[in-house]
Amino acid sequence: MADYNTILVEQRDAVTLVTLNRPHALNALNSEVLSELIAAFTAYDDDPSQRCLVLTGSEKAFAAGADIKEMQAQGFADMYSSNFFAGWEQVTATRKPWIAAVSGYALGGGCEVAMMADFIIAGDNAKFGQPEIKLGVTPGMGGSQRLASAIGKSKAMEMCLTGRMMDAAEAERAGLVARVVPASDLVEEALKTAAQIAAMPPLAAIAVKEMVNTAEELPLEQGIRFERRLFHGLFGTEDQKEGMAAFVEKRPGNWTGR
Ligand code: CAA
């Protein structure tokens, strides 16, 4: 497995666990973190033995944002010419499922990365926020769009305009996170959920991701047509034959990913 400076990567059977590891900076997301995450997520997507991924941080901080010290001296021309943050699109292009397991601070870019995941499981100590306005900027990694679609305009607007933090209970009520668990059990709970997903037929999992994500992009009628076509397509797979035979024969399915 590749050696990284800012993240730790391990495989637990079919699940890849990626841990942000810049404790001195509360896992602030600098360019090195981004390139290492792109490498780790690409390796995960390309490895047929891996079927779900969990991204987590430390107990104190999932990530306290993009690295302010790295951005401080940049001007418009630097940001525009390097298309700063565009690399995150390579992370969101991951085709296989992944979960963000959030403990502690998920602020600014930290909240935005968590929202890039297919879903979030939060520790009961999690704190979400988009405090960029206090720095004279705004969310820049998709936060205004993903937060608005996750929790609605009014609450997203309030979060981004005041920069306040939202605790785990409020985040669950608002629909930002799928589930809240005790912080001490967070990683184990997320790995358990990931193992459940990893045991599913992998092509159907990719298809689910594609169709749920499409709900945000297409009008309803086209989205439903897209869903139906993908559903039809799965009838060309071995796993559909196996899954339905296994149900009828009252036994677990044995997936090939074909
Ligand atoms: N960038 C760079 N360094 C950061 C950082 C960040 N986003 N967040 C924390 N750090 C560093 C601190 O500078 C500090 O380093 P030193 O020890 O060298 O001084 C170290 O991490 C520990 O942080 P604190 O001493 O501040 O810890 P705390 O427990 O007192 O406070 C906190 C925790 C409330 C999360 C506070 O660190 C904080 O407010 N961080 C910044 C949050 C923020 O504004 N995030 C948005 C960043 S901009 C962005 O993300 C843009 C975007 O759209 C993607």
Side-chain angles (χ1 to χ4, degrees):
M1 190 148 306
D3 252 351
Y4 298 106
N5 279 327
T6 63
I7 59 174
L8 305 169
V9 181
E10 53 189 290
Q11 292 184 348
R12 308 252 185 115
D13 299 322
V15 175
T16 300
L17 175 64
V18 178
T19 307
L20 298 165
N21 188 34
R22 293 187 75 212
H24 56 283
L26 300 184
N27 293 330
L29 305 160
N30 63 9
S31 305
E32 188 178 17
V33 176
L34 173 57
S35 24
E36 293 193 345
L37 284 178
I38 291 170
F41 275 66
T42 305
Y44 158 64
D45 236 6
D46 290 347
D47 182 345
S49 77
Q50 297 301 290
R51 297 191 170 174
C52 194
L53 179 150
V54 172
L55 176 67
T56 196
S58 68
E59 183 152 359
K60 177 167 180 183
F62 176 74
D67 193 314
I68 298 167
K69 293 165 189 168
E70 185 180 61
M71 295 184 291
Q72 184 180 6
Q74 304 289 314
F76 170 76
D78 306 311
M79 299 300 260
Y80 192 50
S81 62
S82 67
N83 206 5
F84 201 74
F85 285 160
W88 288 101
E89 284 166 22
Q90 292 178 61
V91 174
T92 57
T94 305
R95 296 190 74 210
K96 296 198 283 197
W98 65 282
I99 302 169
V102 174
S103 177
Y105 296 113
L107 300 178
C111 185
E112 292 172 292
V113 171
M115 291 190 291
M116 289 175 197
D118 297 317
F119 60 92
I120 301 172
I121 299 180
D124 53 14
N125 64 343
K127 288 189 170 60
F128 298 88
Q130 298 291 159
E132 291 92 339
I133 194 164
K134 297 181 186 170
L135 301 167
V137 291
T138 62
M141 287 160 48
S144 62
Q145 310 302 295
R146 291 197 177 94
L147 195 61
S149 103
I151 67 176
K153 173 185 161 180
S154 190
K155 221 171 174 59
M157 199 66 98
E158 188 216 1
M159 297 288 298
C160 294
L161 283 173
T162 65
R164 82 169 172 91
M165 293 186 210
M166 182 189 274
D167 67 19
E170 184 183 359
E172 188 178 29
R173 280 198 307 278
L176 180 59
V177 309
R179 197 148 53 87
V180 177
V181 300
S184 51
D185 302 341
L186 173 68
V187 174
E188 285 317 310
E189 281 296 324
L191 287 171
K192 243 191 260 173
T193 305
Q196 253 178 305
I197 295 168
M200 297 297 166
L203 292 178
I206 292 175
V208 163
K209 264 194 79 152
E210 276 201 81
M211 57 180 74
V212 175
N213 286 332
T214 297
E216 308 206 325
E217 289 159 17
L218 291 183
L220 182 63
E221 201 181 317
Q222 286 177 33
I224 288 173
R225 207 174 312 138
F226 177 72
E227 177 195 89
R228 199 184 310 131
R229 288 290 170 261
L230 270 181
F231 169 76
H232 292 163
L234 289 168
F235 282 76
T237 67
E238 289 171 11
D239 283 347
Q240 175 270 329
K241 297 287 169 290
E242 168 63 9
M244 294 195 177
F247 174 80
V248 172
E249 292 159 21
K250 301 187 188 299
R251 60 172 176 83
N254 183 20
W255 315 119
T256 60
R258 311 293 306 171

